[in-house]
């Protein structure tokens, strides 16, 4: 997965870097780059996004933060044993896994950590800037793929927001692939505005909500009245364990509920239940029961079953987002990237929730990335990107103990 000498290299800094999703991202990128597997699930490899100037997969350099110490090659072997990765793939991409593992730094806060918020953010930011400097990168994108944390209470910054603040401090674009708070914390709003960086999120849309974002508009467009929409999720792995916490599950479900409210014009009866089943590992099953009325009040039901591998569903989206947000940064875009709502359950801004409309917005975003700015045509490459003043990108508050950094 080595880049050519003339190819600019882009860092992908993963929060939760030794979790299942992150391991699948690194192994998958190496496999696709080497031609061992096709880029199935990667929208950035389709004609829609051709010619957008996205960084090549071969140019991506991986690193990250985590609070666990299981090496990536060992984690990959475990995923292969569970059927998440193809047999033999961990051995085939062992060098790339080892290289990424060498770039993983200790996360936090962990029990007994005496550093305050300022020290934690400074430490995380220093890891990022050192990564960019040592590896000779043009930029690095921070992507949160850690396990879901409960919504914060009060002004205390949760771990996801500490990492987000560090990304701002280091001048790195940010993607929140989880429902955790991240840049959503009000204490970070001034720093986010001042940093002049693009960011996207939140909560990657990989399964049940993806289906809802298609079915909800169908009912609305056919003028069928949905009376109730209930769902159940069975999942294991790190996310299953973290979502056993009712507060974390509530954060996860908010995006699912938003999709139905936005596409149906109101929230139907019913809710989503999430059950932790450790034996399922990285696999999940989602059932939906939809009760609706047809012509003359005829009562009908649609039931769906979605069975999938969370890491295999998420990894291509993470690679897409890292490439898109990196290109947006290169193009001089800043602030929330609303047009990337296609990828998220609870997207930033007031954009549409229907998948078809979100795909159209992504297509418009592709046109924007293909259109050079006047300053890009006139200025030499070294002067295209202004480095903003990040002196006020320091949040206030105290560190909080968070969940294990794996997803």
């Amino acid at each position: 997965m080595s880049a050519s000498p003339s190819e600019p290299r882009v860092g992908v800094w993963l929060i939760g870097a030794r979790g299942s999703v992150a391991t699948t991202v690194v192994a998958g990128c190496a496999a696709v780059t080497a031609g061992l597997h096709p880029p199935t699930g990667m929208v950035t490899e389709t004609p829609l996004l051709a010619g957008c100037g996205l960084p090549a997969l071969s140019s991506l350099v991986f690193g990250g933060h985590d609070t666990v110490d299981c090496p990536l090659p060992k984690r990959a072997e475990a995923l292969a044993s569970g059927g998440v990765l193809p047999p033999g793939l961990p051995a085939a991409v062992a060098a790339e896994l080892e290289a990424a593992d060498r770039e993983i730094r200790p996360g936090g806060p962990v029990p007994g950590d005496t550093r305050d918020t300022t020290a934690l953010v400074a430490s995380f930011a220093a890891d990022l800037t050192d990564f960019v400097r040592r590896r000779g990168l043009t930029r690095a994108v921070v992507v949160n793929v850690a396990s879901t944390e409960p919504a914060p209470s009060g002004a205390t910054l949760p771990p996801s927001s500490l990492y987000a603040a560090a990304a701002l401090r280091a001048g790195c674009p940010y993607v929140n692939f989880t429902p955790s708070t991240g840049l959503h914390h009000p204490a970070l709003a001034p720093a986010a505005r001042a940093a002049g960086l693009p960011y996207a999120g939140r909560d990657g849309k990989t399964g049940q909500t993806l289906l809802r974002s298609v079915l909800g508009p169908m009912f609305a467009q056919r003028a069928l009245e949905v009376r109730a929409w209930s769902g159940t999720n069975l999942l294991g792995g790190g996310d299953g364990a973290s979502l056993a916490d009712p507060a974390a599950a509530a954060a996860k479900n908010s995006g699912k509920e938003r999709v139905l409210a936005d596409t149906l014009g109101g929230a139907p009866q019913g809710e989503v239940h999430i059950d932790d089943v450790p034996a399922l590992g990285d696999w999940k099953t989602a059932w939906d029961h939809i009760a609706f009325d047809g012509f003359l009040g005829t009562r009908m039901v649609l039931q769906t079953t979605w069975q999938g591998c969370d890491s295999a569903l998420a990894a291509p989206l993470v690679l897409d987002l890292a490439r898109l947000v990196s290109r947006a940064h290169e193009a001089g875009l800043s602030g929330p990237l609303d047009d990337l709502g296609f990828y998220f359950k609870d997207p930033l801004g007031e954009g549409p929730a229907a998948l078809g409309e979100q795909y159209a917005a992504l297509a418009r975003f592709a046109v924007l990335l293909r259109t050079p700015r006047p300053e890009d045509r006139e200025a030499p490459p070294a002067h295209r990107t202004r480095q903003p003043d990040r002196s006020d990108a320091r949040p206030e508050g105290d560190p909080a103990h968070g969940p294990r950094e794996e997803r």
Side-chain angles (χ1 to χ4, degrees):
M1 197 167 55
S2 59
S4 67
S6 60
E7 188 176 51
R9 301 202 301 171
V10 172
V12 180
W13 190 264
L14 300 165
I15 307 304
R18 291 193 170 112
S20 298
V21 171
T23 305
T24 306
V25 166
V26 176
C29 185
V32 172
T33 299
L36 302 177
H37 290 271
T40 305
M42 291 189 63
V43 184
T44 50
E45 290 295 304
T46 67
L48 178 75
L49 291 163
C52 288
L54 304 179
L57 290 173
S58 59
S59 75
L60 302 183
V61 181
F62 295 95
H65 282 115
D66 210 319
T67 57
V68 299
D69 56 8
C70 178
L72 284 181
K74 184 176 180 179
R75 187 58 180 265
E77 289 289 353
L79 292 176
S81 297
V84 177
L85 297 179
L89 182 62
V93 298
E96 288 85 350
L97 290 167
E98 291 166 358
D101 194 69
R102 288 194 294 270
E103 297 294 347
I104 298 175
R105 300 295 179 262
V110 295
D113 200 329
T114 59
R115 292 174 293 177
D116 63 12
T117 293
T118 300
L120 285 162
V121 172
S123 176
F124 298 155
D127 290 337
L128 271 164
T129 54
D130 178 65
F131 174 62
V132 172
R133 178 188 57 77
R134 283 188 301 98
R135 302 304 303 268
L137 308 177
T138 58
R139 60 185 44 82
V141 179
V142 176
V143 186
N144 181 14
V145 291
S147 293
T148 303
E149 65 190 14
S153 58
T156 299
L157 290 182
S160 65
S161 296
L162 298 176
Y163 293 118
L168 298 179
R169 176 83 69 86
C172 296
Y174 175 81
V175 177
N176 189 0
F177 201 74
T178 81
S180 300
T181 304
L183 276 182
H184 273 62
H185 200 286
L188 297 186
R193 287 192 297 269
L197 296 165
Y199 53 91
R202 63 182 172 171
D203 200 3
K205 184 164 56 188
T206 59
Q208 184 180 44
T209 310
L210 177 66
L211 192 59
R212 288 178 167 210
S213 69
V214 175
L215 292 178
M218 177 197 74
F219 283 106
Q221 291 162 5
R222 292 299 294 268
L224 297 169
E225 183 180 355
V226 175
R227 292 182 290 107
W229 197 317
S230 301
T232 296
N233 275 262
L234 307 178
L235 69 163
D239 237 17
S242 67
L243 292 172
D245 180 344
K252 186 80 170 179
N253 282 337
S254 62
K256 298 176 184 289
E257 295 166 358
R258 175 183 172 182
V259 168
L260 295 185
D262 288 355
T263 58
L264 297 175
Q269 295 180 17
E271 57 185 19
V272 176
H273 297 275
I274 299 177
D275 293 329
D276 177 27
V277 184
L280 294 180
D282 205 54
W283 298 82
K284 63 181 180 183
T285 297
W287 292 300
D288 270 17
H289 184 283
I290 308 160
F292 64 99
D293 288 346
F295 191 51
L296 304 179
T298 304
R299 294 200 161 191
M300 292 175 270
V301 168
L302 171 65
Q303 296 182 20
T304 67
T305 302
W306 178 285
Q307 292 180 309
C309 173
D310 198 41
S311 297
L313 291 165
L317 308 187
V318 171
L319 289 169
D320 276 358
L321 287 163
R323 300 172 80 190
L324 288 164
V325 175
S326 171
R327 175 67 183 111
H329 188 214
E330 181 184 40
L333 302 181
S334 64
L337 300 177
D338 299 358
D339 289 338
L340 297 186
F342 176 77
Y343 290 97
F344 298 103
K345 294 184 182 73
D346 189 19
L348 301 174
E350 300 298 326
L355 191 68
E357 295 178 59
Q358 291 176 333
Y359 188 76
L362 182 63
R364 292 191 295 271
F365 187 70
V367 173
L368 179 64
L369 294 183
R370 293 190 193 100
T371 305
R373 301 175 300 156
E375 57 266 39
D376 289 338
R377 291 193 294 266
E378 297 167 2
H383 301 291
R384 289 178 184 171
T385 303
R386 178 180 64 84
Q387 293 300 318
D389 178 12
R390 283 177 281 274
S391 60
D392 61 345
R394 300 187 180 188
E396 298 180 357
D398 297 317
H401 297 301
R404 272 182 57 168
E405 295 177 44
E406 80 179 29
R407 179 180 171 84

